Amino acid sequence: MQRADGMMYAPQGKPNPVVDAGEFRFAAVGLDHGHIYGMCNGLIEAGAELAWVYDPDPIKVAAFRRRFPQARAANSEAQVLDDPTVHLVACAAVPADRCSIGLRVMDAGKDFFADKPPLTTLEQLALARARVAATARKYAVYYSERLHVESAVFAGDLIQQGAIGRVLQVVNLAPHRANLPSRPAWFFDPGRYGGILCDIGSHQIEQFLFYAGAQDARVLHSKIANYRHPQYPGFQDFGDATLLADNGATMYFRVDWFTPDGLPVWGDGRTFIMGSDGTIELRKYIDIAREESGDHLYLVNHQGMQHFALHGQVGFPFFGQLILDCLQRSEQAQPQAHAFKAIELAIQAQNMAMHIS
Amino acid sequence: MQRADGMMYAPQGKPNPVVDAGEFRFAAVGLDHGHIYGMCNGLIEAGAELAWVYDPDPIKVAAFRRRFPQARAANSEAQVLDDPTVHLVACAAVPADRCSIGLRVMDAGKDFFADKPPLTTLEQLALARARVAATARKYAVYYSERLHVESAVFAGDLIQQGAIGRVLQVVNLAPHRANLPSRPAWFFDPGRYGGILCDIGSHQIEQFLFYAGAQDARVLHSKIANYRHPQYPGFQDFGDATLLADNGATMYFRVDWFTPDGLPVWGDGRTFIMGSDGTIELRKYIDIAREESGDHLYLVNHQGMQHFALHGQVGFPFFGQLILDCLQRSEQAQPQAHAFKAIELAIQAQNMAMHIS
């Protein structure tokens, strides 16, 4: 399912069920972004049962059911929400619509699992936070560029083990392939996708907060541009930002849509984590002109240099943890405050961004 | 001569004289930074004759003359400046002292070639600019992280050839090995070395202006920290900045002193140049856990991906161009305005930097 533009990025892991068959049932509602395939894959590999699918567009539903024939096509969102056996609803609707779906899902007593960005405005965020508090349900977020990337998972383990000392800085370079003729209309409307810093920036900020072990941060500077796509005036093909965390660590990230045609994958995503006693570099999706496989991690610390080829070696513990969190009302997979903080900062970065050209 | 901390970084190129023996004579004045060795090497390989050396410290002079026995030890700076056969004076005095030496050199009718940073305050810069205008002499700068790095030279050639289209962004990550016990007192006094953004930041900004083809830029944000060296309160072990050029290109750079002991070279310096139609990555001094040699360039554009191993393949055209510029009063090696603009922006970044910890 991996297309060259990453829209359908849906890594395959090893099946590693944390529950028995039928013990955890979920539904897919809102199929606008292909990430829904990765979200469902991950949950199914962790033992979840995909019970329902709903989208207003029957063509999207039919395509989805070719991949996941076990999902029953619902006639309405309400039909899904009325099923008391459904624990969780996964959603990759148009970003601006995700929050209202999430509110209805939580009101129905179910947990919600949104593609990133999980919402697009601070007003939506306030509503989501309030409803999480009122319903005690989850509004989990598929920050796939860490959660669904084996080298990114392993980086977290290395940091936890103290391999690079205190994390002082995270730099993310996150190019994406535009492939614009294939994109739907909402892709060019910042009111619908949230803007480049909200959309693909939220991934980057989530990684920063996680790797730096930070609870909060401040956006110090951000900018956006539409350098080369004047035919799409609402499109933003470049953005960047720098942040300062509550624990003194800093971040810089760049997001862009300039992946050149000669790159065999959708983007040469890199993460550089500088610690007081070492560095980690992730070459997430390719090691350019070296290896066409992804998930290469380079560790340099006082002991020496190491290259880890991690594809197929680490797996994706997030999905099993999320299922158990839903069943046990715990927060192993992703603290709610962290999931919301990442998008809050991304929206702030978007709102304060300097426009350049 | 290459030490593990890069203080004595002095690449060996191929001799490629642009003048006959004795046609271009120069002197070394001010040996505080080991860069003077690289500066002299480069000029000698390009055919210059090293006539004199002067430093108030006879120990530094003796060490220098073991490497360059052809240099006659002067008793004073004046003795060098009084020699009408000397065309140019190379200087790696303490950064804060470089400008006053440069002014005397230019007043003596000679061209000046300063290690980076060529000066440390905007007041010095105004004096230097005025004296260049009044004397029509040169105040050239050894921005070695581009001028004396073969992959960095080649990157400029590729951009010139259009290999990546319009340059939209340059990201530099420039870690350095601290090796603090070996450092002289001035290394810990920002009033003497200029601060981390002035000192090693000026390199990065110079690269940005060059690769982006920009005449001017604005510093949008910068920060500095002393994260892990409280025993040296004047030391700055981290700095970063983001800039916007007059042509719309942007830059982000990080400079730091956190090279881990396990890295066999003084720093894993990287440059990422994002163009509208491709990207260039430089792994300047090592390709971590892959190759211990430096000068690896990775080009990705619409045609595909290429890895260039450039050590020994490109040479250092700057030095021969500088000699000819001095003789012919041209500006092939380094336009004066460019040399000054890089340090001007670096000082501005330093002056406006947010202090974090």
Side-chain angles (χ1 to χ4, degrees):
Chain A
M1 283 307 291
Q2 187 170 352
R3 286 199 328 199
D5 61 5
M7 181 82 172
M8 306 298 267
Y9 185 69
Q12 299 279 348
K14 296 192 193 82
N16 187 19
V18 299
V19 286
D20 292 332
E23 199 181 339
F24 187 86
R25 285 163 56 86
F26 77 105
V29 171
L31 308 179
D32 292 281
H33 198 295
H35 273 172
I36 193 69
Y37 289 89
M39 298 163 76
C40 292
N41 263 4
L43 288 168
I44 291 168
E45 286 168 4
E49 182 184 329
L50 178 52
W52 293 99
V53 56
Y54 174 71
D55 190 277
D57 179 354
I59 295 172
K60 289 197 184 73
V61 171
F64 184 85
R65 292 193 68 248
R66 280 195 289 279
R67 174 76 175 282
F68 298 112
Q70 71 270 42
R72 203 171 141 196
N75 295 318
S76 65
E77 183 188 292
Q79 189 176 12
V80 173
L81 299 188
D82 287 346
D83 179 347
T85 72
V86 169
H87 289 86
L88 175 138
V89 172
C91 173
V94 173
D97 298 337
R98 290 173 188 169
C99 182
S100 57
I101 297 172
L103 299 180
R104 291 194 294 272
V105 166
M106 293 189 289
D107 284 343
K110 302 178 192 314
D111 292 313
F112 186 56
F113 179 34
D115 184 25
K116 70 72 233 172
L119 40 80
T120 55
T121 69
L122 295 176
E123 294 69 28
Q124 290 177 358
L125 179 60
L127 289 172
R129 279 186 166 135
R131 208 68 64 95
V132 162
T135 63
R137 296 299 95 188
K138 293 182 184 298
Y139 195 124
V141 185
Y142 181 62
Y143 290 119
S144 55
E145 292 188 19
R146 181 176 65 83
L147 302 173
H148 228 163
V149 174
E150 292 186 282
S151 55
V153 173
F154 193 64
D157 297 344
L158 287 174
I159 291 167
Q160 203 65 39
Q161 293 159 24
I164 62 168
R166 173 184 163 195
V167 171
L168 299 174
Q169 201 207 30
V170 178
V171 170
N172 276 10
L173 303 180
H176 290 61
R177 173 162 288 138
N179 207 1
L180 297 181
S182 77
R183 300 288 188 174
W186 62 263
F187 194 84
F188 304 99
D189 178 355
R192 301 288 288 147
Y193 73 90
I196 191 170
L197 295 175
C198 169
D199 178 10
I200 50 181
S202 63
H203 278 303
Q204 319 310 323
I205 294 174
E206 191 277 334
Q207 290 167 68
F208 171 48
L209 296 174
F210 180 79
Y211 291 133
Q215 307 302 311
D216 202 353
R218 210 151 42 100
V219 183
L220 302 177
H221 167 84
S222 61
K223 51 182 118 58
I224 57 174
N226 180 348
Y227 277 120
R228 303 286 285 193
H229 300 90
Q231 69 276 39
Y232 300 105
F235 189 56
Q236 298 162 5
D237 58 23
F238 174 93
D240 74 357
T242 178
L243 289 85
L244 172 62
D246 53 5
N247 62 6
T250 69
M251 165 171 233
Y252 172 77
F253 72 85
R254 177 188 87 209
V255 287
D256 70 80
W257 292 97
F258 285 104
T259 291
D261 294 345
L263 195 81
V265 297
W266 57 268
D268 178 19
R270 304 280 189 101
T271 296
F272 300 86
I273 309 170
M274 183 182 83
S276 56
D277 299 286
T279 58
I280 289 171
E281 176 184 355
L282 308 182
R283 301 181 191 161
K284 289 182 166 184
Y285 313 115
I286 189 169
D287 198 339
I288 49 168
R290 289 280 188 186
E291 318 244 9
E292 298 220 351
S293 57
D295 287 306
H296 295 273
L297 184 150
Y298 292 81
L299 169 68
V300 185
N301 59 18
H302 299 317
Q303 284 69 56
M305 301 185 285
Q306 278 181 275
H307 165 220
F308 297 86
L310 295 167
H311 179 70
Q313 303 300 308
V314 180
F316 308 110
F318 170 78
F319 300 93
Q321 290 170 346
L322 179 62
I323 291 171
L324 294 177
D325 281 350
C326 291
L327 293 174
Q328 302 166 359
R329 312 317 296 166
S330 52
E331 282 208 324
Q332 295 301 306
Q334 180 183 68
Q336 185 65 65
H338 168 83
F340 279 152
K341 183 55 71 177
I343 185 63
E344 179 181 7
L345 293 165
I347 294 171
Q348 286 174 0
Q350 183 75 41
N351 289 349
M352 68 189 264
M354 180 176 174
H355 291 242
I356 61 172
S357 60
Chain B
M1 285 305 291
Q2 185 171 353
R3 283 198 332 196
D5 61 5
M7 181 81 173
M8 306 298 266
Y9 184 72
Q12 299 279 348
K14 297 192 192 82
N16 187 18
V18 298
V19 287
D20 292 333
E23 198 181 337
F24 187 86
R25 285 163 56 87
F26 77 105
V29 172
L31 309 178
D32 292 280
H33 198 293
H35 273 172
I36 193 69
Y37 289 90
M39 298 162 75
C40 292
N41 263 5
L43 288 168
I44 291 166
E45 286 169 3
E49 182 183 329
L50 178 51
W52 294 99
V53 57
Y54 174 71
D55 189 278
D57 178 356
I59 295 173
K60 287 198 184 73
V61 171
F64 184 87
R65 292 193 66 250
R66 280 194 291 279
R67 174 76 175 282
F68 298 112
Q70 70 270 43
R72 201 171 145 198
N75 295 318
S76 65
E77 182 188 293
Q79 190 176 11
V80 174
L81 299 188
D82 287 346
D83 179 348
T85 72
V86 168
H87 289 86
L88 174 139
V89 173
C91 173
V94 173
D97 298 338
R98 289 172 188 170
C99 182
S100 58
I101 297 172
L103 299 180
R104 292 194 294 272
V105 167
M106 292 189 290
D107 283 343
K110 302 180 192 312
D111 292 312
F112 186 56
F113 179 34
D115 184 24
K116 71 71 235 172
L119 41 81
T120 54
T121 67
L122 295 176
E123 295 70 27
Q124 290 177 359
L125 178 60
L127 289 171
R129 278 186 166 136
R131 208 69 64 95
V132 163
T135 64
R137 297 298 97 187
K138 293 182 186 296
Y139 195 123
V141 185
Y142 181 62
Y143 290 118
S144 54
E145 293 187 20
R146 181 175 65 85
L147 302 172
H148 227 163
V149 174
E150 292 184 281
S151 55
V153 173
F154 192 65
D157 297 344
L158 286 176
I159 291 167
Q160 204 65 40
Q161 292 159 24
I164 60 168
R166 172 183 164 196
V167 171
L168 299 174
Q169 200 207 28
V170 178
V171 170
N172 276 9
L173 303 180
H176 289 62
R177 173 162 287 136
N179 208 0
L180 297 180
S182 76
R183 300 287 188 174
W186 61 262
F187 194 82
F188 304 99
D189 178 355
R192 301 288 287 147
Y193 74 89
I196 191 170
L197 294 175
C198 169
D199 179 8
I200 48 180
S202 63
H203 277 302
Q204 318 312 322
I205 294 172
E206 191 278 332
Q207 289 167 69
F208 170 49
L209 296 174
F210 181 77
Y211 291 133
Q215 308 300 310
D216 202 352
R218 209 150 45 98
V219 183
L220 301 178
H221 167 86
S222 61
K223 50 182 120 56
I224 58 174
N226 181 348
Y227 277 120
R228 304 285 286 191
H229 300 90
Q231 69 275 40
Y232 300 105
F235 189 56
Q236 297 162 4
D237 58 22
F238 174 92
D240 74 358
T242 178
L243 290 85
L244 171 62
D246 54 5
N247 63 6
T250 70
M251 164 170 234
Y252 172 78
F253 71 85
R254 178 188 87 209
V255 288
D256 70 80
W257 293 97
F258 285 105
T259 290
D261 295 346
L263 194 83
V265 298
W266 58 268
D268 178 18
R270 305 279 188 101
T271 297
F272 300 86
I273 309 170
M274 182 183 82
S276 56
D277 298 285
T279 60
I280 289 171
E281 176 183 355
L282 307 182
R283 302 181 190 161
K284 289 182 167 185
Y285 313 115
I286 189 169
D287 198 338
I288 49 167
R290 288 280 187 186
E291 317 244 11
E292 297 220 353
S293 58
D295 286 307
H296 295 273
L297 184 150
Y298 292 80
L299 169 67
V300 185
N301 58 18
H302 299 316
Q303 283 69 56
M305 301 186 286
Q306 277 180 277
H307 166 219
F308 297 87
L310 295 166
H311 179 71
Q313 302 301 309
V314 180
F316 307 110
F318 170 78
F319 300 94
Q321 289 171 345
L322 179 63
I323 291 170
L324 294 177
D325 280 349
C326 291
L327 293 174
Q328 301 166 1
R329 311 319 295 165
S330 51
E331 284 208 324
Q332 295 301 306
Q334 180 182 68
Q336 186 65 62
H338 168 83
F340 281 152
K341 183 55 71 179
I343 186 63
E344 179 181 9
L345 293 167
I347 295 170
Q348 287 174 358
Q350 184 75 39
N351 290 349
M352 69 189 262
M354 180 176 176
H355 291 242
I356 62 172
S357 62

